C-alpha cells in the first residue's frame, strides 16, 4: 500500500488497496497506522537496492559510449507535515511569523539516461549537499564505470579527490571565483587549461575542533570555458579528455535530475506525507522512490515503442503525469500476480 502511495485519506486508500487486489475487507485507519509501526523504512531501501542490482544486469540499460553511467547529483528541500517531532528531527525553515515549517533536505544520485534513482536520502537541513553526496557515493554498489555530473554547489578538492579515489570521473560546474586557479584561468581568455586543486588546511568541522582532509596530495584537473547562449560563460572542472562541445552536452544532461525532482513532487506527490512521525515520513519517502523507479521503467519502455505523427515532424510521447496516475493501482495489481503472468500484464499496461 505504501509503494502504491498514500495520497488521499487513509480510509479511502485502504478501501482502494483491497479493491485493487480484488479482495473485500474492512480495515480502519487505526489498523493501518498500527500495522505500519511494525515496518521499518529500511525495507524500501533494501527493495530498491535489489531492484537496482537486477536492473543494471539487464539489456535495458543505456550507457554513455556503451560504457559509462551518467549520474547526476542534486539536492532539494522538502516540506514536511507540521509536527514538533519532525521539526526537532529535521529542522524548520524559519520565517518572521513564528517558528517556521518543518523541512528536510533530500539528496539523490540519479541516472539521467535510465531515469533511475540509485540512491536517495532525506536528511536534516543542517547537512550540506556535499556531505550527503559523499555518504551516498560510498554506499553505491553498482559494478559499472560512471561519470558524475554536479553543479556549482559541489566542487571541492576533497570531493574531486574522493571521486577519483573511488575510480569514478566527474564533470563539475564551478564559479569563476571558485579559487585562485579558476580566477586566473577566467581572466586569461583561455578556453581549455589545467589547474591544481590543493588540500585545504582544514576540511569540515567536528565537535571538539577541526579536522584535516583525508587527501594530502594536490590534484591536477582540467578546466574548460563554455560560452552560453545568454552570452555569459560556464566553467567546468573535469578529469575527462573529451572535446569541449561534448563536455558541455554532458553537463547539460544534468538537468534531468532537476526534472526528476519535479516529477517526484508533481506526479508522485512525494510531499503529501501520510504521517507526522519520522519513521512514517521516511517510509513514504523511500516507498515513493521505489515506486517512481518501477513506474519509469514501464513509461520509458512504452516511449521507445511509440512512432512519429503523420509527416514525421513530431514524435508521440507518454504523458508522464497521466501515466503515473493510471499506473499507481496497476503496479499494485502487477506485484500481486505470480511472476509467470507479468509479461502479459506489462504488455497490457503499456497499451
Amino acid at each position: 500500500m505504501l509503494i502504491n502511495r498514500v495520497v488521499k485519506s487513509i480510509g479511502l486508500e485502504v478501501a482502494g488497496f483491497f479493491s485493487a487486489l480484488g479482495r473485500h475487507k474492512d480495515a480502519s485507519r487505526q489498523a493501518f497506522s498500527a500495522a505500519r509501526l511494525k515496518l521499518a523504512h529500511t525495507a524500501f531501501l533494501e527493495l530498491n537496492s535489489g531492484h537496482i542490482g537486477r536492473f543494471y544486469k539487464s539489456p535495458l540499460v543505456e550507457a554513455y559510449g556503451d560504457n559509462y553511467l551518467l549520474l547526476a547529483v542534486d539536492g532539494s528541500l522538502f516540506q514536511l507535515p507540521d509536527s514538533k517531532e519532525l521539526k526537532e528531527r529535521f529542522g524548520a525553515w524559519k520565517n518572521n511569523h513564528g517558528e517556521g515549517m518543518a523541512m528536510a533536505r533530500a539528496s539523490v544520485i540519479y541516472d539521467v539516461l535510465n531515469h533511475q534513482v540509485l540512491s536517495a536520502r532525506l536528511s536534516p537541513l543542517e547537512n550540506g549537499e556535499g556531505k550527503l553526496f559523499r555518504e551516498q557515493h560510498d554506499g553505491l554498489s553498482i559494478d559499472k564505470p560512471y561519470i558524475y555530473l554536479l553543479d556549482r554547489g559541489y566542487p571541492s578538492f576533497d570531493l574531486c579527490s574522493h571521486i577519483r579515489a573511488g575510480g569514478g570521473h566527474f564533470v563539475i560546474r564551478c564559479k569563476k571565483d571558485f579559487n585562485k586557479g579558476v580566477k586566473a584561468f577566467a581572466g586569461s581568455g583561455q578556453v581549455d587549461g589545467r589547474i591544481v586543486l590543493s588540500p585545504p588546511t582544514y576540511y569540515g568541522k567536528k565537535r571538539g575542533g577541526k579536522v584535516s582532509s583525508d587527501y594530502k596530495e594536490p590534484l591536477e584537473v582540467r578546466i574548460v570555458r563554455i560560452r552560453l547562449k545568454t552570452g555569459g560563460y560556464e566553467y567546468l572542472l573535469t578529469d575527462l579528455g573529451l572535446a569541449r562541445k561534448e563536455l558541455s552536452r554532458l553537463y547539460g544532461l544534468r538537468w534531468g535530475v532537476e526534472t526528476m525532482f519535479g516529477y517526484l513532487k508533481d506526479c508522485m506527490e512525494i510531499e503529501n506525507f501520510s504521517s507526522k512521525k519520522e519513521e512514517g515520513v521516511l517510509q513514504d519517502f523511500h516507498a515513493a522512490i521505489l515506486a517512481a523507479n518501477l513506474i519509469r521503467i514501464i513509461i520509458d519502455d512504452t516511449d521507445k515503442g511509440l512512432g512519429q505523427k503523420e509527416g514525421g515532424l513530431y514524435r508521440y510521447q507518454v504523458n508522464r503525469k497521466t501515466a503515473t496516475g493510471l499506473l499507481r493501482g496497476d503496479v499494485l495489481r502487477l506485484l500481486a500476480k505470480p511472476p509467470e503472468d507479468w509479461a502479459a500484464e506489462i504488455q497490457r499496461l503499456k497499451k
Side-chain angles (χ1 to χ4, degrees), residues 63-65 70 112-113 149 171 226 234 236 242-255:
Y64 173 71
L70 296 181
V112 299
L113 296 182
L149 310 175
V171 179
I226 308 293
E234 69 180 9
L236 302 178
L242 300 171
R244 288 190 305 117
K245 185 176 181 179
E246 182 63 6
L247 288 172
S248 178
R249 188 183 79 83
L250 277 188
Y251 182 75
L253 294 175
R254 194 204 67 84
W255 185 251

Side-chain angles (χ1 to χ4, degrees), residues 106-318:
S107 175
V108 302
I109 298 177
Y110 178 68
D111 183 337
V112 299
L113 296 182
N114 296 289
H115 308 128
Q116 295 291 293
V117 177
L118 275 64
S119 173
R121 290 281 302 275
L122 194 66
S123 170
L125 284 173
E126 64 184 28
N127 290 330
E129 292 178 346
K131 175 180 182 293
L132 292 175
F133 164 59
R134 180 163 173 165
E135 292 173 355
Q136 289 174 279
H137 166 73
D138 291 346
L140 279 186
S141 58
I142 299 298
D143 187 24
K144 286 185 180 293
Y146 52 85
I147 301 170
Y148 279 121
L149 310 175
L150 302 106
D151 70 7
R152 290 177 290 187
Y154 290 92
S156 71
F157 161 81
D158 198 79
L159 201 64
C160 292
S161 298
H162 198 61
I163 292 173
R164 290 297 299 133
H169 302 279
F170 56 84
V171 179
I172 311 178
R173 187 176 181 180
C174 69
K175 298 177 181 178
K176 67 178 181 180
D177 60 352
F178 169 62
N179 64 14
K180 293 181 180 179
V182 175
K183 283 182 183 178
F185 176 82
S188 71
Q190 296 180 67
V191 296
D192 201 329
R194 311 284 296 184
I195 64 169
V196 174
L197 302 180
S198 300
T201 304
Y202 294 105
Y203 175 78
K205 292 183 179 180
K206 287 186 177 180
R207 191 173 298 172
K210 298 177 180 179
V211 295
S212 61
S213 171
D214 294 335
Y215 303 97
K216 310 303 179 185
E217 297 299 323
L219 180 68
E220 184 179 78
V221 299
R222 182 183 174 200
I223 181 170
V224 300
R225 182 169 69 169
I226 308 293
R227 187 174 182 85
L228 303 173
K229 293 181 180 179
T230 58
Y233 295 95
E234 69 180 9
Y235 298 88
L236 302 178
L237 302 177
T238 185
D239 62 336
L240 298 170
L242 300 171
R244 288 190 305 117
K245 185 176 181 179
E246 182 63 6
L247 288 172
S248 178
R249 188 183 79 83
L250 277 188
Y251 182 75
L253 294 175
R254 194 204 67 84
W255 185 251
V257 73
E258 306 277 0
T259 59
M260 184 277 302
F261 272 122
Y263 174 78
L264 288 175
K265 292 183 178 184
D266 186 31
C267 299
M268 295 298 299
E269 299 183 58
I270 196 170
E271 290 179 297
N272 193 349
F273 293 99
S274 64
S275 174
K276 292 187 176 182
K277 295 185 177 296
E278 177 187 355
E279 184 62 26
V281 163
L282 292 173
Q283 287 176 10
D284 285 342
F285 176 78
H286 290 290
I289 296 294
L290 173 60
N293 280 347
L294 297 175
I295 288 172
R296 284 305 298 260
I297 288 176
I298 297 175
I299 289 176
D300 290 352
D301 200 34
T302 306
D303 254 341
K304 292 174 183 176
L306 294 177
Q308 292 181 322
K309 287 187 176 181
E310 189 174 346
L313 295 178
Y314 303 102
R315 185 178 177 277
Y316 282 111
Q317 200 171 29
V318 172

